[in-house]
Amino acid sequence: GAVVSQHPSWVICKSGTSVKIECRSLDFQATTMFWYRQFPKQSLMLMATSNEGSKATYEQGVEKDKFLINHASLTLSTLTVTSAHPEDSSFYICSARDPGASGRDEQFFGPGTRLTVL
Amino acid sequence: DAKTTQPTSMDCAEGRAANLPCNHSTISGNEYVYWYRQIHSQGPQYIIHGLKNNETNEMASLIITEDRKSSTLILPHATLRDTAVYYCIVRVRAGANNLFFGTGTRLTVIP
């Protein structure tokens, strides 16, 4: 099946610094990628939809200037948490849509990145 | 996308079948039922999906009622590694729309 990777798998940073998370589709081209955030004991919440070559679409309440998304190629999307604060500590998960997939699901999830801001 | 309702938690004895219910009474004719699961601190994993017919794959079986207002995910022989949160999601299959994750059912497989 299709594989999506994320890097890093976990990161600890100081308050005020920026952190970049990468999401890669390893064996397919993803025209659309999604970024989710999950706080402890809560469900996944969509942050933004990233389309290759165009600006990301952010969900209500998600600050686009704080969570910078770049989808420069069909296999890579990045999420940069700028000026991170402790309340940004969360589990960030990306998914990638494979438009060529058939028979199974069209979206494949990465393993997630756990961000801890001190 | 239609809303789904699932029990908050369930227990299942190891080796027994786990039957996870989902209500989706407002499902539309073009909406599919998808099931994902999330093992602790991992990304969601696709399990199975269906439109109106029952489906089976190497992981599970999906039973959809004739009126499509509810469905049941069946793990035929639950193992400890099946302990996870199971999400039932109803969505239109085509298109680049995201998946809406509700609260899911926390399944605990007991030795």
Side-chain angles (χ1 to χ4, degrees), chain A residues 34 36 38 43 97 105-107, chain B residues 36 38 93 95-97 102:
Chain A
F34 302 94
Y36 295 82
Q38 186 176 32
S43 189
R97 179 176 177 265
D105 183 39
E106 304 94 346
Q107 282 193 40
Chain B
Y36 286 79
Q38 186 179 24
R93 186 176 181 187
N97 53 318

Side-chain angles (χ1 to χ4, degrees), chain A residues 34-47:
Chain A
F34 302 94
W35 287 96
Y36 295 82
R37 179 169 53 183
Q38 186 176 32
F39 292 108
K41 297 187 178 181
Q42 295 186 23
S43 189
L44 284 78
M45 296 297 294
L46 180 70
M47 298 177 65

Side-chain angles (χ1 to χ4, degrees), chain B residues 35-56:
Chain B
W35 283 84
Y36 286 79
R37 72 179 182 184
Q38 186 179 24
I39 296 170
H40 183 63
S41 293
Q42 297 183 25
Q45 177 188 20
Y46 165 84
I47 301 173
I48 199 167
H49 76 278
L51 181 61
K52 55 182 179 180
N53 296 322
N54 297 338
E55 302 288 343
T56 296

Side-chain angles (χ1 to χ4, degrees), chain B residues 21-86:
Chain B
C22 179
N23 286 319
H24 32 78
S25 58
T26 61
I27 191 170
S28 299
N30 62 344
E31 289 182 314
Y32 287 71
V33 181
Y34 280 78
W35 283 84
Y36 286 79
R37 72 179 182 184
Q38 186 179 24
I39 296 170
H40 183 63
S41 293
Q42 297 183 25
Q45 177 188 20
Y46 165 84
I47 301 173
I48 199 167
H49 76 278
L51 181 61
K52 55 182 179 180
N53 296 322
N54 297 338
E55 302 288 343
T56 296
N57 62 20
E58 64 276 9
M59 291 183 68
S61 294
L62 174 61
I63 308 299
I64 303 174
T65 58
E66 193 169 342
D67 62 7
R68 302 208 322 125
K69 292 185 177 182
S70 64
S71 60
T72 301
L73 178 74
I74 301 173
L75 308 178
H77 305 286
T79 70
L80 298 180
R81 285 184 287 185
D82 291 323
T83 293
V85 178
Y86 287 77

